[in-house]
Amino acid sequence: MTDDDKTIKSVDHAGSSYKMRINDSDRERWQEMQSYTDELVSQGYQAIAGVDEAGRGPLAGPVVAAACILPPDREFPGLNDSKKMTLKRRETLYQNIIESAIAYSIIPVSAEIIDLINIRNATLQGMAAAVRNLKHEPDLVLTDAMALQGFTIPVQAIVKGDSKVNCIAAASVLAKVSRDRLMGEYDISFPNYGFAQHKGYGTKAHYQALEALGPCPIHRQSFLKTKLGEACNARAGELGEKCEREVAHHLAKQGFAIIGHRFKIHNVGEIDLVCLRDDMVYFVEVKARSDSSNYGGLAATITAEKIRHIRATAAIFLRDNKMSDKTAVLLAALVSLNNNQEVEHIKYLPIY
């Protein structure tokens, strides 16, 4: 160890003490990965947020997005792309980052939403939500490869950004550690799948567990369809859910965040989709029929009694999710189908 080597002491998530040794190569990498941010600061940017995700590829569990604004007067030597770091290094830097960051935000997007709008849209939704949930508004956003839409501030997508820019690497650590911890909790809720070990990825042991036990509620049915056949994705064949997925996918492309699917309160009502955009919550009732010549007739199937149930259910959703201060909008998504029961057109009408 050289004279300049040092150790950083920390306590990991399990409560064990750990000393992270920092050497010259760690410091050199920090400086190299900080150079692009320093250049942006020289251009006048001050609050630069890095954004990344973890968990796009697994068969189970959420995809987790994180955003982070690092302080300009603090270095985090040892930081790197989270996939290139040891577990203990990630845990140590995770703790250092959340204690010192100007702002950070971590957003999981569930397997259900992934199945509904696909993994790419779910990832974009999580990353956008992570930026919007930062307590300190950034004046520039840097992402790992994925371009975010709908922001008035500039957004730059940097290929392999988690190994090139420190604030993106920091976000990757927050996302990776948070997701790994979630999968450890799921391992307790759904034992015998081995989630604590493989984190939901498609290992041999995971496939063996699937063959023996079948999928559990956190498995991504859309991923299993291609891996284990149609039997694992029976729900996806239902026409109603197919139409809901098409509407959700369409709304996601328009910048809506899908935050609920088939939200149901016993003896009150059920709402097909719940979406968020521009601080407004949209409750969407999906209706479909083959003959789309008369949308008015289709809309008329949403009766006054049905609307009362939707309103009551929406009020409970807002209350339970601490969103009662937001404006609620009721929408009907009217879906026209062709003779092959494929979606041809979607029309949205307000429900009064």
Side-chain angles (χ1 to χ4, degrees), residues 7-10 17-21:
T7 59
I8 296 176
K9 297 181 180 180
S10 72
S17 178
Y18 169 65
K19 295 181 179 180
M20 185 174 72
R21 180 176 295 176

Side-chain angles (χ1 to χ4, degrees), residues 133 257 259-260 274-283 314-328:
N133 277 272
I259 59 175
V274 186
C275 313
L276 179 67
R277 190 175 78 169
D278 298 334
D279 218 34
M280 300 176 72
V281 183
Y282 295 79
F283 298 92
I316 294 172
F317 181 93
L318 293 172
R319 182 200 67 195
D320 290 353
N321 289 277
K322 296 181 174 57
M323 302 174 78
S324 297
D325 59 328
K326 298 188 183 298
T327 301

